[in-house]
């Protein structure tokens, strides 16, 4: 398997623009997580899905952030409008609860810079 | 709320020595604790999981201990190599029957040749 795939790998945009981050989880995994990582706050969970259904979005910073999972192989995280404080690395991770351990498999991340 | 503390200062050791990293938590004892490795520009990679009823777990040169009395986990890398240089994150489950994890901020390990 190719692992968790994220695109784009890097994104530079101007304040106020819409940003869409994409994730393809590992086939067969039924949980999908979106994280944000910064030097100041570390790795923070934003939202997670189980079987394509959002379960907990309490980590989403504000209404400017939204996430969808239209099917088992694709998810998006959208920021509209973007602000400089949204600059961070965004990771998508997936897991398979039926597996031997409750581990999460992370993608390579999208490095977002909002000017 | 649960807080996780990992040493924010980098650990700098000589090749061949044992590296020991610490993860302390402040509130409830988790059902399990995980350790991940993160290299620059990459996502975290799972290394080991230890459950609350396990005192110790090993995998090749890695060893993890879990002391629920001290609210602490230790992560050891024996016979360390420069290739072990990375940031190591510990993560705890949320104890709410979800599969969410709380991550520590990580400790950077530098192994000198």
């Amino acid at each position: 398997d190719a692992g968790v795939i994220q695109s784009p790998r890097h994104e530079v945009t101007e304040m106020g623009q819409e940003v869409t981050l994409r994730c393809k989880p590992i086939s067969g995994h039924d949980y999908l997580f979106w994280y944000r990582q910064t030097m100041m706050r570390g790795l923070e969970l934003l939202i997670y899905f189980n079987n394509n259904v959002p379960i907990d979005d309490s980590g989403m910073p504000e209404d400017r952030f939204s996430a969808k999972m239209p099917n088992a192989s694709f998810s998006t995280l959208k920021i509209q409008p973007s602000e400089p404080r949204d600059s961070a690395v965004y990771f998508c991770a997936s897991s398979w609860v039926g597996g031997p351990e409750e581990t999460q498999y992370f993608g390579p991340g999208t490095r977002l810079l909002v000017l | 709320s649960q807080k996780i503390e990992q040493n924010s200062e980098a650990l700098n050791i000589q090749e061949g020595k044992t590296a020991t990293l610490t993860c302390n938590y402040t509130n409830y004892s988790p059902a399990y604790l995980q350790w991940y490795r993160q290299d620059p520009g990459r996502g975290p990679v799972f290394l080991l999981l230890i459950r609350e009823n396990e005192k110790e777990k090993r995998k090749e040169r890695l060893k993890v201990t879990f002391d629920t009395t001290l609210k602490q986990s230790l992560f050891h890398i024996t016979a360390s190599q420069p290739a072990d240089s990375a940031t190591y994150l510990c993560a705890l489950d949320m104890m709410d029957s979800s599969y969410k994890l709380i991550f520590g901020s990580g400790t950077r390990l530098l192994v000198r040749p």
Side-chain angles (χ1 to χ4, degrees):
Chain A
D1 200 316
V4 175
I5 299 172
Q6 291 187 247
S7 64
R9 292 295 310 278
H10 302 274
E11 178 81 31
V12 180
T13 190
E14 293 190 345
M15 182 173 63
Q17 296 297 306
E18 177 180 296
V19 175
T20 299
L21 311 181
R22 298 173 176 79
C23 174
K24 176 178 168 49
I26 293 173
S27 177
H29 283 194
D30 50 4
Y31 278 79
L32 183 140
F33 305 83
W34 280 102
Y35 290 90
R36 178 172 67 176
Q37 188 175 41
T38 61
M39 289 292 292
M40 291 296 294
R41 300 175 66 90
L43 196 60
E44 302 175 282
L45 178 67
L46 300 177
I47 184 171
Y48 81 96
F49 296 81
N50 177 218
N51 291 323
N52 313 338
V53 176
I55 302 301
D56 186 340
D57 65 354
S58 59
M60 296 285 259
E62 48 199 273
D63 292 344
R64 297 185 298 106
F65 285 69
S66 62
K68 293 181 180 179
M69 192 166 185
N71 57 62
S73 59
F74 183 65
S75 178
T76 59
L77 178 68
K78 186 176 292 186
I79 308 173
Q80 165 64 18
S82 57
E83 297 183 2
R85 59 191 168 125
D86 301 330
S87 297
V89 182
Y90 291 81
F91 289 103
C92 174
S94 67
S95 68
W96 172 44
V97 176
E101 293 182 328
E102 292 86 354
T103 63
Q104 295 184 14
Y105 297 80
F106 283 77
T110 295
R111 186 173 295 273
L112 173 65
L113 177 61
V114 183
L115 302 174
Chain B
S1 63
Q2 183 75 286
K3 283 185 169 38
I4 302 173
E5 296 166 354
Q6 291 188 261
N7 197 337
S8 59
E9 291 187 15
L11 179 62
N12 199 325
I13 65 169
Q14 185 73 42
E15 181 177 10
K17 301 293 185 184
T18 295
T20 298
L21 306 176
T22 304
C23 176
N24 294 299
Y25 56 93
T26 59
N27 201 349
Y28 62 83
S29 282
Y32 57 83
L33 187 149
Q34 302 184 21
W35 284 88
Y36 287 76
R37 168 182 172 144
Q38 186 173 21
D39 291 284
R42 294 178 177 267
V45 175
F46 170 77
L47 296 175
L48 278 171
L49 178 150
I50 186 165
R51 300 188 185 279
E52 60 178 338
N53 60 348
E54 298 175 316
K55 296 292 186 188
E56 180 180 300
K57 203 158 193 180
R58 293 175 184 261
K59 179 183 177 181
E60 298 173 352
R61 295 184 295 111
L62 309 181
K63 185 179 84 170
V64 174
T65 63
F66 194 2
D67 190 325
T68 55
T69 301
L70 294 178
K71 296 189 176 182
Q72 181 181 81
S73 174
L74 298 179
F75 177 80
H76 307 272
I77 305 175
T78 58
S80 60
Q81 304 167 0
D84 296 325
S85 299
T87 296
Y88 292 85
L89 307 167
C90 72
L92 280 61
D93 72 286
M94 294 285 285
M95 203 177 159
D96 58 358
S97 301
S98 74
Y99 294 95
K100 296 189 297 186
L101 295 175
I102 308 174
F103 281 83
S105 56
T107 298
R108 187 174 173 208
L109 172 66
L110 299 172
V111 182
R112 302 188 309 274

